[in-house]
Amino acid sequence: MVSISFLNPLSPEGKDIVRELGSFEGISDDIPELRRLVTRNPSQEIVDDKEIPSNYLELALKRIEWYIKKKHDREFNSRRYSFLSDYSITKYDVISFYLLCQAIGVKFGPNSRETRVMVEAQGDLIQERMGKLSIQESRLMVDQSLAMLLHDDMVHWTFFQELLSTRKIRLTELVLDNGELILNEEDFLHRFGSRIKHRNPDSMYQLLIGDELKELIMVKMIMQETEDYIKQVHEKARVMVEPNPILLELADEVAEVLAEPMQHYGYGSGRSGGPMKAGPLNPLAFPPCVKKALEGIKSGGRNDAIVLFMTPFVSYARLYPDVFRMNITKRVSDQDPQLQITENEVLPLIYEAAQRCVPPLFDDQPQEKVNINAKLGFGMHSTLKMEHEGETTWYTPMSCEKIKLHLPHLCRPDDVCKKIGNPLSYYNRRIWEVMNLDKEDSDSEDNPSSNNVDNIQNSDIQNSDIENSANNENKNSDDSNSGEG
């Protein structure tokens, strides 16, 4: 029988498991029972014995590793983490959850990237585990969980104020009657049955609420409780004498796991067939439209050129140039955890272009700095703060077709432009060529003084890997910019 604590470690059952453990003593000792449970799982694929968690700390790191690999690794193999959906590990899993929350709360605090990843990982893990249950088990677990989380049959929408303010859930996703949340089918039919004409009320309940909305509310509430718990730990840690060294060590190991995507997924060698390497911007590789925007817009369209065009291009070119090829949605902090590159390299270049406009954009429209932050995914705020990330979407660069339509004065295509569909692809081609010309230089002593940058202008680039990203670049940029006027 699946325990509520397998979905919600913060439930009374989960807290009982923690109380039973008592202290940190022996927390890093091997647990033969845990290894046995992992290896006996028929769905489990084990390539190396080192992949098997042997204690609470290793299991905690596997939770984070699972989420990171699932999100970033295109060759992710879920069978290597099957044990995470095996409810027989519940008591070990609950302890590992608390260790993670406490380590992150003590070391990084509630507004950190580590907290965001922990909260999102918990939400994804719940959904993964729910997907392994039968329909009957799933419904029972959701009903029991909601009974604990909501505390009352009658819940006013203001009960979700925190979830709404953090955008974990939207008011339009809820079914309300006189401000009260409706989840129960009998309640729904009692309130709305007589008002529904020409439709089956039972079908309407399944359409509007059903299992899906209940599960959504349950998952989001557990995510919010996880975030609140990390915040509580952080507040307590500030007045404590000294945090337990085990938590600090675990926090450092969590940071190492989170750093792995930048080292392996999307930050490879940049050779054909592999991902493009993120690095300092090279203005010589910018496409004509970007170069023209950098000179300053001297006619109409300053706002769109700086906010909608330059902001996505500069940020992705610097932080995530492989976005169309990878086709994996990320946030700025996934690529720049401390936001230092964004603050010190990305924003200054955008502001420089804004200053060159006639008149300078921020002189008469300083509010556009807030819009720039919004296009980077940090909501409508004057500064970039982790706690606001995710309130808006990190816009992908505008496609060439959109530039021609909305910013035609920027479009002065050269020969390379005819082969691509997005300015970011142009930039990647140029960078790719620079890297290959550098390699040729190092291999040839007969040509030590060749100028790679000049040679770029006359080269016929053959990068089939980048060509394959054409469909993604058009689709993604159109999707993320769909709200533009």
Side-chain angles (χ1 to χ4, degrees), residues 364-382:
D364 59 331
Q365 300 188 51
Q367 76 279 2
E368 290 295 27
K369 288 187 177 180
V370 172
N371 287 329
I372 288 171
N373 291 345
K375 296 300 177 286
L376 291 171
F378 290 86
M380 299 296 288
H381 301 279
S382 57

Side-chain angles (χ1 to χ4, degrees), residues 122-188:
Q122 182 62 20
D124 279 16
L125 197 52
I126 294 170
Q127 292 176 315
E128 180 81 7
R129 290 171 175 176
M130 291 289 292
K132 306 293 182 185
L133 301 177
S134 67
I135 293 176
Q136 289 74 20
E137 284 178 318
S138 175
R139 285 175 176 166
L140 181 62
M141 294 297 293
V142 170
D143 287 342
Q144 290 181 351
S145 296
L146 287 177
M148 291 181 186
L149 293 166
L150 297 176
H151 308 303
D152 198 334
D153 290 338
M154 293 294 104
V155 179
H156 197 265
W157 73 269
T158 52
F159 179 82
F160 299 102
Q161 188 173 2
E162 198 169 15
L163 280 174
L164 293 167
S165 65
T166 56
R167 302 198 177 197
K168 288 187 176 65
I169 203 166
R170 298 180 187 279
L171 196 58
T172 52
E173 293 174 319
L174 305 177
V175 176
L176 304 173
D177 184 36
N178 293 323
E180 292 178 344
L181 176 69
I182 309 300
L183 286 179
N184 182 277
E185 184 171 4
E186 290 183 2
D187 192 19
F188 175 86

Side-chain angles (χ1 to χ4, degrees), residues 139 185 188 201-211:
R139 285 175 176 166
E185 184 171 4
F188 175 86
D202 293 316
S203 300
M204 288 300 292
Y205 170 79
Q206 293 299 329
L207 180 66
L208 296 174
I209 302 176
D211 297 332

